[in-house]
Amino acid sequence: MNPIYHQAKFINSAPKLKDAPPDQGKEIAFAGRSNTGKSSAINTLVRQNALARVSKTPGRTQLLNFFEIDPERKLVDLPGYGYAKVPEAMKLEWQKMMETYLNQRQALCGIVLVMDIRHPLTDFDWQMVEWCEHRKLPLHILLTKADKLNFGAAKTTLLQVQRELSRADIVVTLQLFSALNKVGVDDVHQILDEWFGFSEAAA
């Protein structure tokens, strides 16, 4: 576990890319459908209860939310996609904002894609995989809410998803994760360390 993530602090919510912090350093973005436990995963990784907003109503993350680890490294919570009961025009706005960020942000160095282990590889998930292929970005997948299944069933789902993703033309890694039981935290930190360059600095 790398304690540097525990000092993460909120710096900005951007309705548009032009409102985002300067495009410099390295950013790792967390993406996922609404209700997959994305905000809970971020809070668990930084050991803070309310850094990322957790809502009982799926789809409340409507902005690009930036969290600073240090002056050169940031985490980004992307808008949740899917279940939110909002007008179609607003959903299109969210989608446009996300596409702009994903296509134009030079600081972006990796995507953590959050999936509910009970509903993996939705159409949105595949869109994210294809986008990462297009940008040649590394992708790490969290199968969240692993506590909802027994270990055998969770492991079976992990292997099935791994097989499905073997056809992707990029490096994809994946793991089980539970914000409730704190399962998989060290594994995510290891990936973040690698992408942010912390592991190189320690070598």
Side-chain angles (χ1 to χ4, degrees), residues 2-17:
N2 189 339
I4 195 167
Y5 298 111
H6 304 161
Q7 68 188 30
K9 61 182 181 182
F10 170 78
I11 52 170
N12 181 243
S13 282
K16 306 271 186 192
L17 190 57

Side-chain angles (χ1 to χ4, degrees), residues 36-121:
T36 56
K38 177 163 56 72
S39 296
S40 296
I42 293 172
N43 288 337
T44 301
L45 293 172
V46 299
R47 266 199 195 166
Q48 298 180 41
N49 292 331
L51 184 71
R53 186 177 175 186
V54 179
S55 173
K56 296 292 184 188
T57 307
R60 280 287 171 83
T61 307
Q62 301 172 16
L63 306 166
L64 298 164
N65 293 303
F66 293 83
F67 309 107
E68 184 179 280
I69 304 299
D70 65 23
E72 290 302 311
R73 298 171 176 90
K74 293 185 285 292
L75 300 178
V76 187
D77 188 8
L78 299 178
Y81 182 89
Y83 297 109
K85 295 177 181 176
V86 296
E88 195 62 33
M90 190 180 288
K91 285 187 182 179
L92 291 173
E93 275 298 305
W94 294 359
Q95 194 169 357
K96 186 177 171 186
M97 173 177 63
M98 276 185 61
E99 285 177 3
T100 303
Y101 170 79
L102 295 171
N103 282 316
Q104 297 182 13
R105 195 71 171 172
Q106 295 304 306
L108 184 61
C109 65
I111 296 282
V112 177
L113 181 56
V114 181
M115 303 181 196
D116 185 327
I117 193 167
R118 298 164 300 177
H119 312 287
L121 295 176

Side-chain angles (χ1 to χ4, degrees), residues 93-163:
E93 275 298 305
W94 294 359
Q95 194 169 357
K96 186 177 171 186
M97 173 177 63
M98 276 185 61
E99 285 177 3
T100 303
Y101 170 79
L102 295 171
N103 282 316
Q104 297 182 13
R105 195 71 171 172
Q106 295 304 306
L108 184 61
C109 65
I111 296 282
V112 177
L113 181 56
V114 181
M115 303 181 196
D116 185 327
I117 193 167
R118 298 164 300 177
H119 312 287
L121 295 176
T122 64
D123 289 345
F124 168 76
D125 297 329
W126 280 114
Q127 281 178 13
M128 291 301 301
V129 171
E130 287 165 8
W131 180 84
C132 287
E133 284 181 327
H134 174 69
R135 274 285 305 265
K136 301 300 180 194
L137 268 183
L139 175 65
H140 185 66
I141 292 172
L142 301 188
L143 294 174
T144 60
K145 307 186 182 183
D147 51 277
K148 302 286 187 186
L149 302 179
N150 65 47
F151 182 74
K155 197 73 176 173
T156 298
T157 301
L158 179 78
L159 293 171
Q160 287 172 344
V161 172
Q162 204 163 26
R163 274 197 298 272

Side-chain angles (χ1 to χ4, degrees), residues 173-185:
T173 50
L174 67 158
Q175 66 168 96
L176 303 176
F177 189 87
S178 168
L180 184 68
N181 298 336
K182 309 295 187 284
V183 170
V185 173

